[in-house]
Amino acid sequence: MRSVAPMRTAKIGYIIMSVLLSILGILLIARPEFSISAAGGICGVILIVFGMVRLVGYFSRDLYRLAFQYDLALGIMMMILGLIMLLHPGSMMNFICITLGLSCLADGLFKVQITLDARRFGIHRWWLVLILAMFTVVFGAVLIARPSESSRVLIVLTGITMLCEGILNIGTVVTAVKIIKHQQPDAV
């Protein structure tokens, strides 16, 4: 039998990082005058840690193999983008918008695909993840397009996108990650 510790670690890590991402999103929505440098630095750290959590998830091999199936590439991408944000936290508002927008857009689109697989598996709340994924896709795309050059508007939009991404990840991990104590190893 295989240990479920990596799956449990990934699931808990996903939830913790998603809550932190949501809290940062709420902070940016409520306080658009928040420092761009501080937001960029915090976001960089969150992206790096969340990238590591995604790598753990990818290699954990959860029962359905749904929630973590695209996390190798997304985890590496998040870690690289987080490192760039840490190196240049305040001077790159456009980069931050495009980076977060692309990351959320890609993750949302992958989660749409996951919901189609989840429906075939018989997971009853697949539609919840689909709705959350669609919101994340829309706000990720809007963040990339940046309809306003006003820094306050961009910060609020960034906060909304982060909040959507955090809620999407929590919804996905709660509905699609199944941990069974006596899970059999993969057949060779």
Side-chain angles (χ1 to χ4, degrees):
M1 276 183 254
R2 181 175 32 189
S3 171
V4 296
M7 282 183 286
R8 184 166 282 116
T9 300
K11 187 173 185 174
I12 291 168
Y14 246 75
I15 292 170
I16 290 170
M17 295 311 299
S18 296
V19 166
L20 291 175
L21 193 63
S22 297
I23 290 170
L24 181 57
I26 291 169
L27 175 68
L28 293 177
I29 294 166
R31 308 265 319 196
E33 67 277 358
F34 192 72
S35 165
I36 298 295
S37 294
I42 292 168
C43 193
V45 170
I46 288 174
L47 283 173
I48 291 170
V49 174
F50 208 176
M52 289 188 261
V53 168
R54 283 179 178 250
L55 291 177
V56 170
Y58 177 79
F59 289 108
S60 72
R61 295 295 187 201
D62 67 296
L63 182 63
Y64 293 138
R65 295 192 178 48
L66 289 174
F68 305 132
Q69 66 182 322
Y70 302 109
D71 281 1
L72 177 63
L74 284 173
I76 292 169
M77 181 184 81
M78 288 175 82
M79 290 169 38
I80 291 168
L81 295 175
L83 183 62
I84 293 170
M85 289 175 105
L86 273 179
L87 295 174
H88 307 285
S91 62
M92 305 180 72
M93 187 62 187
N94 285 335
F95 178 77
I96 290 170
C97 289
I98 291 171
T99 299
L100 287 175
L102 281 174
S103 179
C104 292
L105 179 67
D107 192 38
L109 291 172
F110 284 132
K111 295 284 183 355
V112 168
Q113 186 174 345
I114 287 170
T115 63
L116 299 176
D117 295 335
R119 183 176 180 198
R120 282 193 296 261
F121 272 96
I123 296 174
H124 299 291
R125 291 180 296 208
W126 65 269
W127 55 269
L128 176 64
V129 176
L130 178 63
I131 292 169
L132 295 170
M134 295 307 295
F135 274 109
T136 303
V137 165
V138 168
F139 282 107
V142 170
L143 189 59
I144 293 168
R146 293 180 319 277
S148 171
E149 291 301 318
S150 164
S151 63
R152 292 178 68 92
V153 171
L154 289 176
I155 290 173
V156 169
L157 188 55
T158 301
I160 292 169
T161 305
M162 292 173 128
L163 181 60
C164 287
E165 177 72 11
I167 293 170
L168 170 64
N169 287 323
I170 291 169
T172 302
V173 96
V174 167
T175 59
V177 176
K178 194 71 144 170
I179 298 175
I180 297 175
K181 288 185 181 184
H182 302 291
Q183 183 175 339
Q184 296 298 316
D186 294 334
V188 177

